[in-house]
Each structure stands twice: as structure tokens, then as C-alpha cells.
Amino acid sequence: MNSHSVSVASAETRSRRPRLPRRRSLVSAVAALAVGLGGTSAAAAHHGTFLGPLHTVTTIASTVPANGDLNPYGTAVVPQSIGALHKNNVLVSNFNNAANEQGTGTTIVQVKPNGGVSQFARINPSRLPSPCTGGIGLTTALSILPGGWVVVGSLPTGDGNAANAEAGCLLVLDSRGTVRETFTGHGINGPWDMTAVSHGNRADLFVTNVLNGTVAGGGNVVNRGTVLRIALELHGNQPPTREKTTKIGSGFAQRTDPDALVVGPTGVGLGHDGTLYVADTVNSRIAAIPDALKRRTSAGTGRTVSSGGALNGPLGLAIAPNNNILTVNGGDGNIVETTPAGRQVAIRQLDSTGTPPGAGALFGLAIAPNGRSVYFVDDASNTLNLLH
């Protein structure tokens, strides 16, 4: 593994990188952070934060499999060894094919902490238990349930163009990487990101959807993005079944984009008190949906936790062990730590390549098993990395 401060990709493997609107520079973000903390220095602001001790980025491995898929999106740590899954390894889903066409990636790779890589799954749309609307294009929506069931979202285009994006599905794979179930409809429409929680023989998926009227909007903002809670019943070595779908968030801004394909509500993470935090990418905002596990109605776009400042088109989202919210920016190469009260308390630059620096490089992230570092994918270099 090689430590580095920036990632550099060859022209052959560099993925298409979304150019989200750049709100302010890293220097401005630091200044805003200090002002928000009552004028304290950036160094003081890091004291006691999750990101505070983390200063080193190490490249773990390339996420490009044998078929050449690019654009790593989803990131999930394997919680226990079962089948082909090995505890503490990291699964990564790819959104682009080897020709760099968005919404056409079909592979999930498994990466060892020491850098070993294997292909966990290559999904053939013609060999599914039931159709996935439009084909396969694996998104940031990636979770692992008890029993080694892997759930991944698909937002397919067929040719990489937003005008041809279709509703897609959620695919359920067994621990050997075989698709055993396909969930479509009931509000699933461009599943973009996801988190999951399990309890006994039940599990809940929290899924953001970005295609409700988006294609018809032709690049204009359409306020119809949703967050679904999908209740599943677990059946041991048989595929989970979908019991109920509840729309718990709605009205989020979304639009098509020539570089990002779709921009809309992305990362989701469940806080310790049952609040679901959502990365509202278009508005550079973190939203909170209260009582996410039990609510029966939509909270709309939720309560604003924090907006602007160092937030610059947040995409991936994870909850740190201290219950703070970690987000990675699509508009620059930064990771931002925000408290549930809305204070942006720390930032780190993870990627500075491209123009603007780091724009479009960051998507999925996941807390490492040691609870003291964080995995993230870098689309500029098609790699899995560790901030530690």
C-alpha cells in the first residue's frame, strides 16, 4: 500500500468525473469553518472530532476488474465471513463500463485490507430471476445484510446518456455473488444510494431515488427525489422478501447532468437516535428525517442540519462512531465532518486532481472496522483508499 496526498490516474483509466457547481475554495471552506466555530483556528476545530487524528491517505487497490469497469461508487465493509465474503474486506460496485459509459457497470469487486482484489460478482442482465428495468448500471446503493445477502442498486442507461436512464431496481445477491432476487416498482426509481439496519429476522433498507421526472426535466431541477424505507423479512439461506415500502422523504431536488448523469439525494446514514441523515446534493445540504425506523408518512425534505460552508455537493455519507456525519463532496475533493447540531467541525482534502481540484472524485465511503479510519473510493484514480 502506498501513502499519498493526491491521486493520479492514467488517461486510459480515468473515469468521467461529475462537475458539480463549486461553491467555494478549500481556503474559504476553512475560513467559514473557523467563523462557524466562533473564530477558533482550524487546528482547534479538529480537537475531539473523528477526522481530527486522520491525516494520511493510503491507496489500498485498484477497483478495476478484468472486464475494465470504471467509476467505483458503492462501498461496504463485510461484517462476517460467509460464502465468498470475508470479514473486514470491502465490497465496491462499479457504475461505468470499460468504455466509460455511465450506468453500464456490472461488477462488484472485493478488496482485502492488504490490497488483494477479487471479483465478487459480474451481473448479466439476461440471467436475472426477474427483469431489472432498463438493464444494469450499479450505483452507490450497496449494503450487506445478515446471512451474506448483498443488496445493490442499479440505475441503467444502456449507452451512458442521461436521456436514456431507466428506473432500474435493487438486486439481491447471495454470499457467492449470484443474483437471487430483484426488487422493482413500489417507488424504486433510480436507486442512487442506500443504508441498511437489521434486527432479528427483519431488515430495513433506506434508499434514495433520483429519477422521478428527472429525465423529462431535461437538465432542469425537479423537486421529486424520494427516500424509501423498504422492510424486508430475512429467511436464513433463502433470499429476503420485501414486506412493505414506505416513502419517508420526498420533494428533494434532482436533475440530469452531462458529467454526473444524475444529481439528486445521495448518501444516507442512520444516527444513533433513529434519525436518517440525507445528503441533499443539489442544495449542498445535509437533511434529517426524524423517527426514520417507525414513521409512516413522508417528512418531505426533512430538517436542515447544515448547508453551505464546507459542504459542496455532498454525495457519499456515513455516520462516524461519535455520531457525527461524514460527507464527501462532489464539487471538490474534501470530506467534511458535521455534528447532528449542524456544526461543520472538520474537513480533510482527499483528492486534489483535476479542475476544479478534486471535483467528481469522491462517492461511497464506509467506516473501517477499527472505528478509527474511513474507506473511500476515488473515481479519479479508480481506487479504494483509506484515510487514517
Side-chain angles (χ1 to χ4, degrees), residues 107-192:
T107 53
I108 301 173
V109 297
Q110 182 171 196
V111 184
K112 297 179 180 180
N114 66 4
V117 182
S118 61
Q119 180 175 286
F120 173 71
R122 183 176 179 181
I123 299 170
N124 185 336
S126 66
R127 296 183 180 178
L128 301 178
S130 57
C132 182
T133 308
I136 301 296
L138 302 184
T139 67
T140 323
L142 181 65
S143 294
I144 306 171
L145 305 179
W149 296 101
V150 176
V151 185
V152 63
S154 175
L155 190 164
T157 67
D159 61 0
N161 294 312
N164 297 318
E166 297 196 41
C169 65
L170 294 177
L171 300 159
V172 182
L173 294 77
D174 63 24
S175 61
R176 297 287 180 183
T178 300
V179 180
R180 299 284 299 280
E181 183 62 274
T182 305
F183 297 145
T184 59
H186 301 277
I188 296 173
N189 194 3
W192 203 224

Side-chain angles (χ1 to χ4, degrees), residues 25 33 35 119 165 172 203 214 235 245 275 277 299 306 334-335 339 354 356:
S25 67
L33 178 60
V35 170
Q119 180 175 286
V172 182
T214 314
H235 306 285
T245 300
T275 298
Y277 296 100
S306 188
N334 295 341
I335 184 171
T339 69

